[in-house]
Amino acid sequence: VELADSVSMAMLLVLETLAPTERAVFVLREVFDLGYDDIARAVDKTPAAVRQIAHRARTRVAARRPHATVSAAEAERALDAFQRAVETGDLQGLLDVLSPDVVLLTDGGGLVRAALAPITGAEAVAAVLRGVTDARLRPAQVNGRLALLVRREGETEVDSVMAVRVAEGLVAGLYVVRNPEKLSRLEREVAVSRGA
């Protein structure tokens, strides 16, 4: 369970809020269990500085890691409200369903347009999502998590997949995959599961 949680979308969102050096130190220490001396050489810092960075990163991760589980019904209600608000361009509806400290990550794989840094805060995320006016969203389960498949109007191929994390009845995290290489694998998996 701890391993599954460590690679969940929620954890990815938390890791993205760390500075690059903090993220590297955290992963090398907490996931790979490397010693401070080895990490110090890898990130070109002193072992004392690495200990401080590791402590700071652990504190930030612990503070942002989701603690409560959300019922399936609560998650579906939040997803439905989010989907309606995005599809209709309802700014107030988006603000009502987004957590104040929501984080939006995008992955274009360097092949399609995507934000280069995390977008944080309900107003900033709502502003980005209001630009998604020519899309159809369909609820789905991706990697066992709530998601929305996004297709542009008139298109049959998936434009992006929005993995959604719900906390306390609000959308707290969004991970949008637009990378065509990853989406082509998804399309093949969906085709196989439909044929089975």
Side-chain angles (χ1 to χ4, degrees):
V1 171
E2 286 178 356
L3 180 59
D5 182 54
S6 72
V7 295
S8 72
M9 187 201 63
M11 188 56 148
L12 291 173
L13 290 169
V14 170
L15 288 176
E16 283 294 329
T17 65
L18 299 176
T21 302
E22 283 180 316
R23 187 172 36 241
V25 169
F26 181 83
V27 170
L28 291 172
R29 181 70 184 160
E30 300 300 317
V31 177
F32 295 105
D33 199 28
L34 288 181
Y36 292 114
D37 291 338
D38 294 330
I39 298 170
R41 282 191 295 279
V43 297
D44 198 27
K45 303 274 185 199
T46 67
V50 167
R51 279 188 186 81
Q52 185 62 32
I53 292 168
H55 174 73
R56 187 171 53 240
R58 274 192 304 274
T59 301
R60 290 182 66 190
V61 166
R64 292 194 64 102
R65 180 178 282 188
H67 297 289
T69 58
V70 177
S71 73
E74 183 180 21
E76 286 177 20
R77 278 193 301 274
L79 185 68
D80 288 344
F82 174 77
Q83 179 180 353
R84 267 192 316 278
V86 170
E87 288 180 329
T88 62
D90 178 7
L91 178 60
Q92 189 56 54
L94 273 173
L95 292 173
D96 290 344
V97 75
L98 293 174
S99 171
D101 60 349
V102 63
V103 178
L104 167 66
L105 300 174
T106 59
D107 172 7
L111 302 172
V112 295
R113 189 173 166 194
L116 299 177
I119 298 167
T120 58
E123 289 184 10
V125 170
V128 170
L129 293 174
R130 286 201 62 210
V132 184
T133 56
D134 65 335
R136 293 173 292 131
L137 284 68
R138 185 173 59 99
Q141 289 278 325
V142 176
N143 293 333
R145 307 268 184 213
L146 282 178
L148 291 167
L149 301 181
V150 181
R151 287 184 173 85
R152 295 291 175 185
E153 205 60 50
E155 298 290 326
T156 57
E157 291 186 13
V158 173
D159 174 78
S160 53
V161 173
M162 255 187 235
V164 180
R165 181 175 66 85
V166 175
E168 299 176 9
L170 299 173
V171 173
L174 294 162
Y175 182 57
V176 181
V177 176
R178 299 198 66 229
N179 182 339
E181 293 174 352
K182 292 180 182 176
L183 293 176
S184 68
R185 287 192 296 260
L186 172 77
E187 290 284 6
R188 285 193 304 270
E189 289 171 17
V190 168
V192 167
S193 67
R194 282 186 187 150

